Amino acid sequence: MSELPKPVVEQGAFSQTGLDEIKKRVTGNHVELLLEYPTVYIVYDQDKPNAYQVYVGETNDIEQRTQQHLNDDVHVRKDWQYLADSPDSQLLVIGHPHFNKSLTLDIENNMMLYMSGVDSVKKLNNRRENQQNKYYTANEKGPIFSAIWRKLHRVNPDLFPIEEIVRDSALFKASPFHELTKEQDNARNRILRRIKTVFRSKEDHQLILVEGEAGSGKTVLLSTLFYQLWQLGEDLNYTEFKTANNYLLVNHDEQVKVYQNIAEKLGMQVANVSKPTTFINHHSPDEQVDVVLVDEAHLLWTQGKQSYRGHNQLKDIMARAKLTVAVFDVKKMLKTEGYWTPGEVQKLENQVEQQGNLIQFKQQLRMDASEATTTWIRNLIDRRTVTKIPQDSKYDLKIFDDPVAMYQAIVAKSQDETHGLSRILATFDWPFKLKDKTIDMVTVGKLSLPWNLQLPLAQDQRGQAKRLAWAEQHQTIGEVGSTYTIQGFDLNYSGVILGPSVKYRNGKIVFDPSVSQNVNATRKRTLPNGTKKHVDDELLPNELNVLLTRGVHGLYIYAVDDELRTALLQESKHE
């Protein structure tokens, strides 16, 4: 691609006077680019340090649109009234010689995606999602957007941080403004059609099951659906079906935090994002809600606990909803209290498939790796074999014989903005009790680090604890993450310690529950027929599945077991 023209950015006060000043400043072909051609614009105000309210839009006539916001929208929308009344609100107008209607809509959508990932943006206003399909300049969107963002970073680095920092944000990765793949888009449209059918026929208690392995894009699908259903409920002109009472549930503290932050930022109902037990305890089957979206449904409980008096959370959720959409990955079940027997899983799949409600994702979107590399990882987890590690120009898969060296490599990656978010993880093979304020350590040779969620927050993040996921907190580079803090999240590079429960004997990987500290996986489970059984040989490999599939660009491994470490190092050698 030949070098593209540079974008043009002008800033002024969000007022008629500010707009007039912009008009006076622009000269030459910038007059056309900013005042006559399609543009993207941003209106923002900072009401306190690191707290912005932002509106993103696009228009063919920035003068007419600004006047509409200042004179008309202030009477019908509180966000515009706030921005118009503030003496400090600003207007940014962005033009480019290659802008056309489709490209500006796509840039607007991408700007919403990035703004949703900026922690200092507390309110993000827009009422559309504008993902475009094919058009003439679609291949230029990426480089043009990056050039725009770099220019905006020079204007206001707090509101527009370095691009790589934004992309590392958990909010960015779960944002509803991602461009959907064909597989995701087909699934979304299929689910929306099914919702329409259910609402018209009043076939209550329906279940749509979305299956796919780690990194297949299920979270983005749910986030997009949640936002779109809210939009449709707010749209007075939309009459095909009305969903005014929708919920998003996930049995994972870190992921709840992310979804609640997104909902708050977009002006959605934060209370409608919660853990399953909260939802079940606050709703009876007599007061049905419209749609419930369940992320990580394999983490739902299939037996009672102190806070949950039922027997199966999925069934209890379905009893309280007209339609439930549940994301499910049998290879990510981690606890006996959420265990499904293979027979139960097959029965559930058969039921939803007969109703046309089974959606299966085939693509893997997280790891930027060759098929040979992903096959190697799957062989390690599923077939329990150590095969020759492929050479992959895209993916950094490395075996270490020294845990300290691996930790140092991960620290170096985390300090390099081009590599970004990188953390150390481990199988649950060291005690973690959090009693008497003692710090529980993961100790391997000369490496000794505390388990996750134990070090005090970095000073500049103490007010952000409720918003930031574990891996996004600065001090956690000095901790070791577990499946319970990292599941559902991406890292650019992950360093995984395979603890003593993962061994290599007679050419096969075996799991030793006697040295695992993961009592949630090693205790007996009561089966449907009333018998008690150990299911750790199914659950401990799932722990490995979660840990080894976090890294987008690289995976580093150190094995405590001598035989396993030797086998991995041997297979990593290339002549």
Side-chain angles (χ1 to χ4, degrees), residues 440-507:
D440 295 303
M441 307 294 288
V442 174
T443 301
V444 185
K446 294 182 179 180
L447 179 70
S448 189
L449 297 171
W451 267 124
N452 41 214
L453 305 174
Q454 296 191 95
L455 292 179
L457 275 166
Q459 183 141 7
D460 63 337
Q461 292 186 329
R462 286 178 185 170
Q464 301 173 309
K466 292 183 179 180
R467 296 196 308 275
L468 292 176
W470 171 78
E472 293 181 293
Q473 299 171 25
H474 295 327
Q475 82 284 352
T476 61
I477 189 60
E479 295 181 333
V480 179
S482 70
T483 52
Y484 302 115
T485 47
I486 203 63
Q487 182 166 11
F489 295 94
D490 296 352
L491 295 168
N492 284 333
Y493 285 77
S494 59
V496 179
I497 300 169
L498 303 181
S501 70
V502 189
K503 303 180 185 297
Y504 192 68
R505 301 291 184 266
N506 302 316

Side-chain angles (χ1 to χ4, degrees), residues 209 211 328 330 340-354 358 360:
L209 202 62
E211 293 186 334
F328 192 84
V330 68
W340 295 67
T341 68
E344 288 175 311
V345 173
Q346 188 64 58
K347 182 180 178 182
L348 180 67
E349 289 175 335
N350 289 343
Q351 287 175 343
V352 294
E353 190 169 22
Q354 287 171 5
L358 180 62
Q360 294 177 311

Side-chain angles (χ1 to χ4, degrees), residues 343-517:
E344 288 175 311
V345 173
Q346 188 64 58
K347 182 180 178 182
L348 180 67
E349 289 175 335
N350 289 343
Q351 287 175 343
V352 294
E353 190 169 22
Q354 287 171 5
Q355 297 169 331
N357 288 348
L358 180 62
I359 297 173
Q360 294 177 311
F361 281 1
K362 304 296 184 185
Q363 289 181 293
Q364 190 283 126
L365 303 175
R366 175 183 292 133
M367 297 170 61
D368 187 18
S370 67
E371 186 177 347
T373 296
T374 55
T375 299
W376 184 87
I377 294 172
R378 293 264 49 99
N379 284 340
L380 191 75
I381 299 165
D382 301 334
R383 297 177 61 192
R384 307 187 186 187
T385 58
V386 179
T387 55
K388 180 65 70 177
I389 295 177
Q391 292 180 303
D392 189 339
S393 60
K394 297 194 299 179
Y395 197 79
D396 189 9
L397 175 55
K398 191 178 296 183
I399 308 301
F400 282 77
D401 61 0
D402 178 1
V404 174
M406 184 174 81
Y407 175 59
Q408 290 171 341
I410 288 295
V411 170
K413 293 294 186 187
S414 73
Q415 293 172 343
D416 185 342
E417 288 176 345
T418 61
H419 292 127
L421 204 60
S422 304
R423 290 294 183 269
I424 288 285
L425 312 172
T427 53
F428 206 147
D429 290 342
W430 290 264
F432 183 39
K433 297 176 182 176
L434 276 179
K435 286 185 177 179
D436 303 323
K437 296 186 178 179
T438 57
I439 294 181
D440 295 303
M441 307 294 288
V442 174
T443 301
V444 185
K446 294 182 179 180
L447 179 70
S448 189
L449 297 171
W451 267 124
N452 41 214
L453 305 174
Q454 296 191 95
L455 292 179
L457 275 166
Q459 183 141 7
D460 63 337
Q461 292 186 329
R462 286 178 185 170
Q464 301 173 309
K466 292 183 179 180
R467 296 196 308 275
L468 292 176
W470 171 78
E472 293 181 293
Q473 299 171 25
H474 295 327
Q475 82 284 352
T476 61
I477 189 60
E479 295 181 333
V480 179
S482 70
T483 52
Y484 302 115
T485 47
I486 203 63
Q487 182 166 11
F489 295 94
D490 296 352
L491 295 168
N492 284 333
Y493 285 77
S494 59
V496 179
I497 300 169
L498 303 181
S501 70
V502 189
K503 303 180 185 297
Y504 192 68
R505 301 291 184 266
N506 302 316
K508 285 282 188 180
I509 289 175
V510 295
F511 295 88
D512 183 355
S514 69
V515 291
S516 171
Q517 297 294 322

Side-chain angles (χ1 to χ4, degrees), residues 101-112:
K101 186 67 173 179
S102 293
L103 183 54
T104 55
L105 286 169
D106 244 1
I107 294 290
E108 175 195 26
N109 194 71
N110 222 40
M111 192 64 69
M112 289 290 291

Side-chain angles (χ1 to χ4, degrees), residues 2 6 41 66 209 211 261 284 305 331 353 390-392 422 485 539 556 566:
S2 58
K6 294 180 179 179
Y41 64 97
T66 303
L209 202 62
E211 293 186 334
N261 289 341
S284 77
K305 290 190 68 173
K331 292 179 181 177
E353 190 169 22
Q391 292 180 303
D392 189 339
S422 304
T485 47
L539 298 184
Y556 297 164
T566 299

Side-chain angles (χ1 to χ4, degrees), residues 19 34-35 39 41 59-66 91 93:
L19 180 63
L34 293 178
L35 302 177
T39 56
Y41 64 97
T59 182
N60 290 332
D61 187 337
I62 188 61
E63 184 172 12
Q64 184 273 334
R65 181 59 60 84
T66 303
L91 169 66
V93 187

Side-chain angles (χ1 to χ4, degrees), residues 10-15 17-19 21-22 25 42-44 88-93:
E10 284 287 346
Q11 181 176 20
F14 177 56
S15 63
T17 302
L19 180 63
E21 289 175 354
I22 290 175
R25 281 201 305 270
I42 300 168
V43 181
Y44 70 90
D88 300 318
S89 59
Q90 296 290 302
L91 169 66
L92 284 163
V93 187

Side-chain angles (χ1 to χ4, degrees), residues 131 133 180-194 208 210 221 224-225 356 358-361 363:
Q131 177 181 330
N133 294 317
L180 300 183
T181 65
K182 188 174 182 179
E183 189 173 52
Q184 289 171 319
D185 197 38
N186 287 341
R188 175 182 62 169
N189 291 333
R190 184 174 163 186
I191 290 168
L192 290 173
R193 287 195 301 270
R194 190 67 184 133
I208 296 176
V210 182
L221 171 66
T224 301
L225 278 169
L358 180 62
I359 297 173
Q360 294 177 311
F361 281 1
Q363 289 181 293

